[in-house]
Amino acid sequence: MKFRTIIEPFRVKTVEPIRQTNDAERSTALEKARYNVFLLQAEDVLIDLLTDSGTGAMSVYQWSGMMKGDESYAGARSFAVFDRAVRDITGFANVIPTHQGRAAEHILFSTAVRPGDVVPNNTHFDTTRANVEDAGGLALDLPVPEARQPQSAHPFKGNMNVDALERTLQEQGTRVPLVMITVTNNSGGGQPVSLENVRAVSEVCRRYGVPLFIDACRFAENAWFIRTREPGQDGRAPIDIAREMFSLADGCTMSAKKDGMSNIGGFLAMNDSQLATRCRTRLVLTEGFPTYGGLAGYDLEAIAVGLKEALDEDYLRYRIRSIEYLGDKLESAGIPILTPTGGHALYLDARRWLPHIPQSEFPAWALSLALYLEGGIRAAEIGSVMFGRQPDGTERPAELELVRLAFPRRVYTQSHVDYVAEVVLHVDTLASRIRGVRMVDSPPVLRHFTAQFAPAHGAIVST
Ligand code: F0G
């Protein structure tokens, strides 16, 4: 390319004002939210990096597609548009719309998993794990060893441990109804999975006759990493990489709130028509008729367009670079982050950054509170609050204590990213004064959404 600057490949047509708050206002807001950023009012947040899910900006093509939405209960034209778009990318014969990713997971696992079954995954996302467990199954994470090393520079830390998978299939035999692989590996740091790894996993699954499903939420970002990092893939069209990835699997679950570039939606897709029929029966109970599955006709249109936009090369180049740009700034200032930077998010390594906070006082949670208090940034803990509670009710500290700065798609510009870097560097000057929290109250599952906390030592940032 002639010029080095990677620009946002869009211009802004509609703006949504965001509001500055002062230190005192944020302190009050956080206290009212019981020291849980999920319980904050969004208008009290300046830069919202809680999630990249459903928070993106839609394009003019998506909005105009929505005007064509066919709201017929059955056989809507919009379903045909959606079905065609999904099949064109994934190649799977049966496409089942759902209102979001976890609904697809729920329908798949409640149909295919029986109590005592084991579902291997490179790393389960929290809702995926919860849905496997809800069906009575054991959610088994089989990442490669590099996934557990925050500083390893391995280009595909999202890969699955193929030997461990093979051992599991040997030992568990018929107790494994399906294998999943999450691209990119969200809970493992937004790290990609190589095409070679998907191929190897697929080969093992086929040998043991176990279907392979892709958790495809960020399939386009994963395709871009394959293109830029995997030998022999350079310059290949992201859609061709995506098609090859899906061709190695038997089905997928998808949250269209991520690489579907939409504010809501998802799907379940698979080649096995008998399993699809059983899934559709469940769908009617919980989501809706198989040609809308919990979505409006206009949502189906927005997703059909969004799936293609997510694969646009200029978009993906800008998308992946904006996270890497923030990573470069933080790394050169010596801030401990998980490297390489992920596709949708940058992960701060709270264990290395705040070694004075014991895991029992949730260092990553405390760090997320400090980011909000100091700069109005909302980010999510991916650590012992999210993963520490075991299915039997016991507590086990998470392997990594991370704070995820997840970037909504096409929402923030470079100056927002510069501001985020400035806040993180400022928080670094306070690091030794950041104190832990104690959990005051929590629900039994997915506790991070609603658990209540209090400062363990008087204040989050001691004076
Ligand atoms: N799988 C992965 C890998 C995810 O990251 C998510 C959602 C889901 C499944 C569930 O999809 O939200 O549409 O029901 N991740 C969001 C996040 C919530 O913030 O990472 P959903």
Side-chain angles (χ1 to χ4, degrees):
M1 279 200 295
K2 194 167 166 190
F3 299 105
R4 282 184 54 243
T5 308
I6 295 173
I7 60 166
E8 287 88 1
F10 47 81
R11 50 185 181 178
V12 178
K13 201 173 197 113
T14 308
V15 296
E16 182 179 8
I18 49 178
R19 194 170 68 91
Q20 296 274 358
T21 48
N22 61 33
D23 289 356
E25 286 168 333
R26 287 193 298 277
S27 179
T28 307
L30 197 59
E31 201 177 324
K32 256 176 79 180
R34 309 291 181 169
Y35 296 93
N36 183 339
V37 295
F38 279 100
L39 303 180
L40 286 167
Q41 297 302 308
E43 62 181 10
D44 293 332
V45 174
L46 184 62
I47 307 281
D48 204 343
L49 306 181
L50 190 63
T51 178
D52 64 320
S53 181
T55 50
M58 291 208 296
S59 71
V60 291
Y61 303 108
Q62 288 179 288
W63 283 111
S64 59
M66 288 176 78
M67 286 305 293
K68 291 185 283 189
D70 174 356
E71 304 304 338
S72 303
Y73 190 92
R77 188 191 58 245
S78 296
F79 176 72
V81 171
F82 172 83
D83 183 61
R84 210 176 306 127
V86 175
R87 278 191 293 124
D88 180 44
I89 297 169
T90 68
F92 297 130
N94 299 284
V95 178
I96 301 172
T98 60
H99 82 275
Q100 61 182 84
R102 68 199 68 183
E105 292 162 5
H106 183 69
I107 286 165
L108 176 63
F109 297 135
S110 62
T111 305
V113 173
R114 285 165 310 169
D117 280 355
V118 178
V119 178
N121 197 324
N122 44 350
T123 310
H124 288 83
F125 181 66
D126 58 356
T127 61
T128 323
R129 169 175 294 280
N131 272 302
V132 170
E133 289 170 357
D134 189 59
L138 175 77
L140 186 66
D141 290 342
L142 300 176
V144 290
E146 289 83 357
R148 299 198 162 102
Q149 299 156 11
Q151 285 157 288
S152 151
H154 192 288
F156 291 103
K157 286 164 91 169
N159 283 354
M160 183 180 261
N161 185 332
V162 182
D163 292 339
L165 174 66
E166 174 136 26
R167 272 199 306 280
T168 304
L169 293 180
Q170 251 165 23
E171 286 162 16
Q172 306 292 343
T174 54
R175 286 178 61 204
V176 182
L178 60 100
V179 171
M180 275 211 120
I181 191 158
T182 306
V183 303
T184 55
N185 184 357
N186 185 10
S187 308
Q191 301 293 318
V193 178
S194 70
L195 208 45
E196 190 191 15
N197 188 250
V198 182
R199 209 176 284 126
V201 167
S202 168
E203 192 273 319
V204 172
C205 288
R206 286 188 180 162
R207 201 144 33 79
Y208 285 84
V210 177
L212 172 64
F213 275 71
I214 297 182
D215 178 338
C217 298
R218 299 178 181 85
F219 75 97
E221 290 168 7
N222 199 78
W224 186 258
F225 281 119
I226 288 174
R227 166 176 155 136
T228 51
R229 293 184 185 170
E230 188 157 343
Q233 301 295 326
D234 188 25
R236 206 172 161 205
I239 191 164
D240 291 336
I241 296 173
R243 282 178 180 140
E244 185 174 349
M245 204 157 61
F246 286 116
S247 76
L248 296 164
D250 304 288
C252 72
T253 56
M254 173 73 187
S255 167
K257 300 170 76 173
K258 284 93 174 171
D259 280 349
M261 305 289 250
S262 297
N263 301 125
I264 196 71
F267 56 85
L268 172 61
M270 66 194 79
N271 284 329
D272 181 340
S273 294
Q274 281 178 355
L275 180 61
T277 301
R278 289 166 58 213
C279 288
R280 286 197 188 96
T281 305
R282 283 207 88 82
L283 186 84
V284 177
L285 280 179
T286 57
E287 292 286 287
F289 192 75
T291 59
Y292 73 86
L295 295 170
Y298 54 68
D299 296 321
L300 296 168
E301 297 275 352
I303 297 165
V305 176
L307 288 168
K308 295 285 166 69
E309 290 184 351
L311 288 161
D312 179 82
E313 292 184 19
D314 288 340
Y315 160 73
L316 282 170
R317 185 177 291 112
Y318 134 81
R319 169 85 177 148
I320 303 300
R321 177 59 196 157
S322 31
I323 318 285
E324 190 186 55
Y325 170 79
L326 177 61
D328 289 350
K329 279 183 170 243
L330 301 189
E331 257 199 302
S332 61
I335 310 286
I337 64 168
L338 197 147
T339 55
T341 45
H344 65 299
L346 179 139
Y347 295 68
L348 300 167
D349 184 347
R351 258 176 105 179
R352 259 195 299 152
W353 199 4
L354 308 175
H356 58 283
I357 305 181
Q359 275 188 288
S360 57
E361 292 181 6
F362 307 114
W365 193 271
L367 178 58
S368 75
L369 301 181
L371 288 171
Y372 175 71
L373 285 172
E374 293 301 319
I377 296 170
R378 177 155 73 165
E381 187 252 26
I382 306 219
S384 290
V385 176
M386 188 181 268
F387 293 121
R389 195 191 167 93
Q390 305 307 303
D392 63 4
T394 57
E395 201 65 33
R396 189 172 68 209
E399 275 176 54
L400 299 176
E401 296 289 348
L402 304 173
V403 173
R404 183 185 75 169
L405 308 177
F407 283 77
R409 291 168 180 74
R410 305 187 290 207
V411 169
Y412 293 118
T413 64
Q414 188 170 345
S415 67
H416 293 114
V417 176
D418 287 333
Y419 171 82
V420 172
E422 194 179 339
V423 173
V424 175
L425 295 196
H426 167 72
V427 168
D428 189 40
T429 66
L430 313 172
S432 64
R433 289 166 39 202
I434 298 175
R435 298 286 175 261
V437 292
R438 63 190 165 81
M439 201 181 291
V440 176
D441 191 27
S442 73
V445 283
L446 297 177
R447 64 183 179 183
H448 51 288
F449 290 134
T450 53
Q452 302 188 2
F453 295 82
H457 304 280
I460 299 301
V461 182
S462 72
T463 43

